[in-house]
């Protein structure tokens, strides 16, 4: 389906759980535009956030019989290859061949076989051009009887356009996150790049895909912040559940928008969730 398409995507189920920013995912969506979408909600602008992008651009596979997208999975890794894909705006530039590999331990690899032009020369007018990762959380609110989902991007890893040429390999090593901690004591220990808190039997920095639940459980007030609070028997109290059935039944429509908040772009050798290494053939 994708090998003769433009601006299309297909979701596949994984044979393993892939930890992305600490969240265990069971599926991913492969897009013709050179990226994977890892969000829960399928909407009209998948390229905005929650992506893994070895090379996001306006690729059109319908213009050539030699353009293809392949994927292979062995139970511990998923490899997706965009083979000989061409830009809709400049098909005469030539075909791009690159791939990404998702490992079951959370590591990600970008590999580039053929990059026929400089990345900075790819036109982004009709489609974003990105290399990197992004994640976001979704807040669901009802305003004036309209249910509105807003996606807030909380972290992005961006690689410079000049870093990618023929033979380049980018390795992103997943680092420990708060979400991996399963008890209060291990959660509070300072062994991650995050400041972790314990609330409602869950470890979190307060900024991840469970952001809405964190607020609903009033965790900003009830969170445990040190080991003494863990060992003293202090426990969190879950606020009473509010019955929103009357509100939900009156919802007339639903809309979705995206916003960037907080951390913005990150570009250094050490990121909050990933350590990156770029290797080039000389």
């Amino acid at each position: 389906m994708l090998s003769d398409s433009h601006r299309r995507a297909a979701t596949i189920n994984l044979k393993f759980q892939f930890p992305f920013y600490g969240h265990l995912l069971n599926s991913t969506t492969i897009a013709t535009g050179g990226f994977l979408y890892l969000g829960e909600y399928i909407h009209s602008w998948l390229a905005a956030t929650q992506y893994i992008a070895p090379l996001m651009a306006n690729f059109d596979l319908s213009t050539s019989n030699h353009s293809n997208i392949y994927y292979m999975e062995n139970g511990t890794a998923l490899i997706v290859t965009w083979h000989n894909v061409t830009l809709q705006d400049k098909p005469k530039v030539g075909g791009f061949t690159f791939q990404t590999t998702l490992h079951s331990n959370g590591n990600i690899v970008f590999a580039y076989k053929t990059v026929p032009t400089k990345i900075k020369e790819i036109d982004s007018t009709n489609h974003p051009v990105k290399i990197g990762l992004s994640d976001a959380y979704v807040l669901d609110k009802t305003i004036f009887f309209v249910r509105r989902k807003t996606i807030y991007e909380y972290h992005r890893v961006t690689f410079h356009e000049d870093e990618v040429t023929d033979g380049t390999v980018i390795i992103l090593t997943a680092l420990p996150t708060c979400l991996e901690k399963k008890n209060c004591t291990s959660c509070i220990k300072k062994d991650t790049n995050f400041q972790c808190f314990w609330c409602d039997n869950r470890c979190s920095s307060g900024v991840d895909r469970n952001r809405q639940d964190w607020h609903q459980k009033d965790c900003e007030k009830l969170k445990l912040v040190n080991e003494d609070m863990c060992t003293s028997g202090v426990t969190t109290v879950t606020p009473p559940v509010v019955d929103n059935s009357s509100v939900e039944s009156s919802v007339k429509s639903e809309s979705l928008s995206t916003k960037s908040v907080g951390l913005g772009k990150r570009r250094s050798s050490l990121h909050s969730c990933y350590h990156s290494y770029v290797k080039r053939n000389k």
Side-chain angles (χ1 to χ4, degrees), residues 74-252:
N74 62 10
T76 61
L78 169 71
I79 302 174
V80 181
T81 302
W82 289 262
H83 175 73
N84 199 39
V85 294
T86 56
L87 296 167
Q88 187 186 60
D89 309 316
K90 293 183 178 180
K92 293 183 179 180
V93 165
F96 293 71
T97 297
F98 56 92
Q99 67 180 200
T100 185
T101 302
L102 312 186
H103 293 276
S104 58
N105 62 359
N107 292 350
I108 302 168
V109 179
F110 297 161
Y112 305 85
K113 181 180 180 181
T114 308
V115 182
T117 187
K118 294 180 179 180
I119 305 299
K120 63 183 179 181
E121 294 179 358
I122 299 177
D123 189 3
S124 61
T125 303
N126 297 316
H127 194 288
V129 178
K130 304 176 185 178
I131 300 172
L133 316 174
S134 169
D135 200 24
Y137 57 81
V138 178
L139 295 186
D140 193 341
K141 297 181 180 180
T142 301
I143 304 175
F144 298 113
F145 306 108
V146 176
R147 187 177 180 182
R148 183 180 182 86
K149 286 185 173 68
T150 303
I151 302 177
Y152 293 87
E153 182 182 64
Y154 66 84
H155 192 264
R156 183 188 302 180
V157 177
T158 302
F159 291 92
H160 197 274
E161 297 165 337
D162 293 336
E163 292 183 308
V164 173
T165 57
D166 288 0
T168 299
V169 176
I170 298 175
I171 302 172
L172 295 113
T173 303
L175 301 176
T177 68
C178 300
L179 298 175
E180 300 171 9
K181 310 298 184 180
K182 301 304 180 185
N183 59 68
C184 182
T185 302
S186 63
C187 175
I188 302 302
K189 287 183 178 179
K190 308 296 183 181
D191 58 353
T192 71
N193 291 327
F194 299 92
Q195 185 174 7
C196 302
F197 308 105
W198 185 257
C199 178
D200 194 48
N201 294 317
R202 180 166 60 89
C203 187
S204 174
S205 65
V207 183
D208 54 42
R209 292 192 179 194
N210 300 318
R211 177 74 171 175
Q212 179 153 342
D213 186 61
W214 184 263
H215 275 294
Q216 289 176 340
K217 299 294 177 58
D218 205 18
C219 284
E220 286 301 320
K221 295 180 180 178
L222 301 175
K223 62 189 179 185
L224 306 186
V225 299
N226 57 58
E227 291 189 50
D228 290 338
M229 296 178 71
C230 293
T231 57
S232 64
V234 176
T235 58
T236 59
V237 179
T238 303
V241 177
V242 178
D243 183 4
N244 291 321
S245 57
S246 59
V247 176
E248 294 297 328
S249 62
S250 63
V251 171
K252 295 181 179 179

